[in-house]
């Protein structure tokens, strides 16, 4: 048992003993969660692992579980996904970035594995003769500092990154200007550029590749959402999960393990798994909420005077102070003309960045952010962006860990067979290969990590209000 589970088992013992019980045997069920209006489950299935959430992290978990520990046999794994079209998926609506420029060693190592996985995707996700092209474009990330504090942070981050084997280079203003002639460096003290291994890729291609590979190994996919559970009396273990499938039937899945990989929706899923008819829920809820993020697709006029240089290939560049980011968009040929197309965005100011309850808020992007924050920052950093037009925009969900904006990869102490893999706060897509592998290890290796030690992302820190901050949040 992990130290987190030992620690919390002691703390939770008095509370768990308060669960209604006529027996001390964990296999005896506590009451079923409140039934849905559609009635109780009429069909029952037995599965080893039920993964709730069929996005990149859930798919990666199934992939690694089947390939690393079950001889490519995924028949004991079922993935429940509410929207198999992925129309509202955080991944498909994101900028699709991957980087190693983090301050925490664990985040760096996870993204290094993600980098390697993307580079090998055409082979490892191949089914028959159908290869996968995730269109990984290694055009880099560029972080900029305009203050002494920001400069020192880039230097400290670089030491950790280079010790992990990253291809990251610090650049002074003259070096930046030489490599990126379109960049205004008048207020810049230092830049940090990822020469290789960083850039962006096609999230949909990764999802499609992982899903087809999982299907080829026998992983079952179900369209639906969990609506209830049955839990053991003595320790709260989830014995079965009721799933409303196709908005029709409630199907009960008897389970050994449950994985919550539902991203921005993870808190509601945990509430569903935990709540019983007598009102017993979680003492320690997961501190993750859904927030809104907007992305703008812009075009820059390439026919400008020689005084204004339009980026031919712009790395994903993060502006200091504002946090506005931009990158080139479209398949870029090494010797081609500038596309003039870019993606850009920014996190809303803290005072207005709140959880959203109405999904219809995603029907529109926040154009006030464009007018008041994004465009002024773009124009200042790239003078050629004085002539840009917004061609389209969209909004998506962002799973925000309110404690420290870092991942949670751990069992829940009140439901000892439920694994949370949530709260990535913007870097879940790029870390999906590593996080899926980590969950597969927790399931298969006596609740321990076997490759990367990711215990820093334990749930214990949430219960103790002990944040572990990452300085490289975008």
């Amino acid at each position: 048992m992990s130290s987190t589970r030992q620690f919390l088992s002691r703390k939770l013992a008095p509370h768990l003993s308060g669960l209604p019980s006529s027996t001390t045997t964990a296999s005896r069920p506590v009451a079923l969660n409140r039934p849905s209006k559609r009635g109780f489950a009429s069909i029952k299935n037995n599965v080893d692992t039920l993964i709730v959430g069929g996005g990149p992290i859930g798919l990666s978990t199934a992939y690694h579980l089947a390939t690393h520990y079950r001889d490519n046999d995924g028949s004991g794994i079922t993935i429940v996904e509410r929207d198999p079209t992925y129309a509202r998926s955080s991944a498909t609506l994101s900028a699709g970035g991957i980087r190693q420029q983090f301050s925490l060693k664990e985040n760096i190592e996870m993204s290094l594995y993600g980098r390697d996985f993307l580079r090998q995707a055409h082979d490892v996700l191949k089914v028959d003769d159908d290869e996968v092209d995730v269109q990984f474009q290694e055009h880099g990330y560029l972080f900029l500092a305009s203050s002494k504090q920001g400069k020192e942070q880039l230097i400290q981050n670089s030491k950790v990154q280079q010790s992990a084997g990253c291809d990251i280079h610090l650049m002074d203003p003259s070096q930046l200007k030489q490599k990126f002639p379109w960049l205004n460096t008048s207020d810049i003290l230092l830049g940090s550029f990822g020469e290789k291994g960083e850039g962006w890729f096609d999230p949909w291609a990764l999802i499609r590749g992982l899903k087809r590979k999982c299907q080829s190994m026998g992983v079952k996919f179900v369209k639906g959402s969990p609506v209830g559970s049955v839990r053991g009396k003595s320790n709260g273990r989830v014995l079965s999960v009721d799933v409303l499938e196709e908005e029709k039937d409630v199907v009960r899945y008897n389970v050994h393990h449950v994985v919550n990989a539902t991203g921005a929706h993870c808190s509601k899923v945990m509430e569903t798994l935990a709540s019983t008819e007598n009102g017993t829920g979680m003492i320690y809820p997961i501190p993750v909420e859904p927030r809104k993020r907007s992305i703008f697709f812009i075009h820059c006029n390439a026919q400008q005077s020689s005084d204004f240089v339009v980026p031919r290939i712009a790395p994903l560049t993060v502006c200091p102070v504002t946090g506005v980011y931009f990158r080139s968009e479209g398949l870029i040929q090494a010797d081609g003309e500038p596309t003039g197309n870019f993606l850009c965005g920014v996190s809303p100011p803290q005072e207005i960045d709140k959880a959203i309850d109405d999904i219809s808020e995603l029907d529109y992007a926040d154009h006030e952010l464009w007018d008041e924050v994004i465009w002024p920052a773009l124009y200042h950093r790239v003078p050629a962006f004085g002539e840009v037009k917004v061609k389209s925009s969209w909004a998506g969900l962002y799973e925000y860990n309110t404690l420290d904006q870092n991942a949670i990869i751990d069992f829940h102490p009140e439901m000892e067979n439920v694994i949370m893999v949530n709260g990535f706060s913007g870097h879940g897509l790029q870390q999906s290969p590593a996080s899926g592998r980590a969950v597969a290890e927790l399931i298969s290796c006596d609740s321990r990590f076997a490759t990367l030690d990711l215990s820093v992302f334990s749930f214990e820190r949430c219960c103790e209000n002990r944040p572990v901050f990452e300085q490289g949040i975008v």
Side-chain angles (χ1 to χ4, degrees), residues 243-268:
V243 176
L244 176 62
E245 296 187 5
E246 300 284 352
E247 296 294 328
K248 296 178 183 178
D249 300 316
V250 177
V251 178
R252 175 163 296 176
Y253 289 88
N254 299 320
V255 299
H256 288 142
H257 290 96
V258 181
V259 178
N260 183 353
T262 54
H265 305 285
C266 65
S267 292
K268 289 186 177 180

Side-chain angles (χ1 to χ4, degrees), residues 50-111:
L50 186 71
I51 301 172
V52 186
I57 292 177
L59 291 167
S60 173
T61 298
Y63 166 84
H64 285 91
L65 196 55
T67 57
H68 286 44
Y69 298 102
R70 300 186 180 180
D71 288 330
N72 296 319
D73 180 7
S75 59
I77 306 168
T78 294
I79 295 179
V80 177
E81 169 56 42
R82 58 189 291 173
D83 177 21
T85 70
Y86 299 97
R88 292 288 198 188
S89 167
S90 296
T92 59
L93 295 172
S94 73
I98 179 169
R99 59 187 167 100
Q100 289 81 56
Q101 293 193 63
F102 291 98
S103 62
L104 288 179
K105 174 177 65 72
E106 292 82 359
N107 278 329
I108 296 168
E109 291 174 335
M110 289 179 75
S111 286

Side-chain angles (χ1 to χ4, degrees), residues 217-242:
M217 295 185 291
V219 175
K220 181 183 177 183
F221 287 81
V222 171
K223 178 184 178 182
S225 301
V227 293
S229 72
V230 177
R231 294 174 61 192
K233 293 206 174 201
S234 65
N235 58 11
R237 183 183 179 88
V238 173
L239 305 178
S240 64
V241 179
D242 286 356

Side-chain angles (χ1 to χ4, degrees), residues 43-235:
I43 306 171
K44 296 182 181 180
N45 291 318
N46 296 319
V47 298
D48 179 82
T49 304
L50 186 71
I51 301 172
V52 186
I57 292 177
L59 291 167
S60 173
T61 298
Y63 166 84
H64 285 91
L65 196 55
T67 57
H68 286 44
Y69 298 102
R70 300 186 180 180
D71 288 330
N72 296 319
D73 180 7
S75 59
I77 306 168
T78 294
I79 295 179
V80 177
E81 169 56 42
R82 58 189 291 173
D83 177 21
T85 70
Y86 299 97
R88 292 288 198 188
S89 167
S90 296
T92 59
L93 295 172
S94 73
I98 179 169
R99 59 187 167 100
Q100 289 81 56
Q101 293 193 63
F102 291 98
S103 62
L104 288 179
K105 174 177 65 72
E106 292 82 359
N107 278 329
I108 296 168
E109 291 174 335
M110 289 179 75
S111 286
L112 282 171
Y113 179 68
R115 175 203 67 186
D116 295 341
F117 191 89
L118 292 176
R119 287 174 172 173
Q120 301 164 11
H122 62 285
D123 288 328
V124 298
L125 299 182
K126 183 177 181 180
V127 177
D128 298 326
D129 294 327
D130 186 6
E131 293 186 355
V132 176
D133 180 8
V134 297
Q135 299 180 14
F136 184 18
Q137 301 189 64
E138 299 187 42
H139 296 306
Y141 265 64
L142 175 62
F143 282 80
L144 301 171
S146 60
S147 67
K148 291 182 178 179
Q149 181 180 2
K151 177 181 177 179
E152 186 59 33
Q153 186 66 61
L154 289 185
I155 293 172
Q156 293 302 316
N157 291 353
S158 178
K159 292 177 181 178
V160 181
Q161 294 154 10
Q162 294 199 19
S163 69
C166 302
D167 191 8
I168 309 296
H169 304 281
L170 296 178
M171 306 174 73
D172 63 30
S174 63
Q175 292 171 317
L176 288 168
K177 194 66 177 178
Q178 183 176 5
K179 188 168 184 64
F180 308 109
W182 41 265
L183 189 69
N184 174 16
T185 60
S186 62
D187 58 341
I188 297 301
L189 299 180
L190 191 66
S192 178
F193 177 56
E195 190 76 33
K196 296 178 182 178
E198 297 191 318
W200 50 92
F201 61 97
D202 182 354
W204 174 248
L206 178 63
I207 289 173
R208 176 182 176 274
L210 281 167
K211 187 171 184 177
R212 290 194 72 248
K213 185 66 174 181
C214 288
Q215 288 172 324
S216 74
M217 295 185 291
V219 175
K220 181 183 177 183
F221 287 81
V222 171
K223 178 184 178 182
S225 301
V227 293
S229 72
V230 177
R231 294 174 61 192
K233 293 206 174 201
S234 65
N235 58 11

Side-chain angles (χ1 to χ4, degrees), residues 400-452:
Y400 187 88
N401 182 339
T402 59
L403 176 69
D404 56 16
Q405 297 82 66
N406 259 317
I408 299 167
I409 307 176
D410 203 354
F411 291 90
H412 195 285
E414 300 167 66
M415 294 173 280
E416 66 175 24
N417 62 330
V418 175
I419 301 177
M420 303 164 288
V421 55
N422 309 114
F424 288 83
S425 305
H427 41 275
L429 172 62
Q430 62 181 290
Q431 294 183 343
S432 59
S435 58
R437 182 179 65 175
V439 174
E441 292 169 356
L442 290 177
I443 292 173
S444 306
C445 302
D446 193 28
S447 304
R448 298 181 185 277
F449 298 115
T451 50
L452 300 178

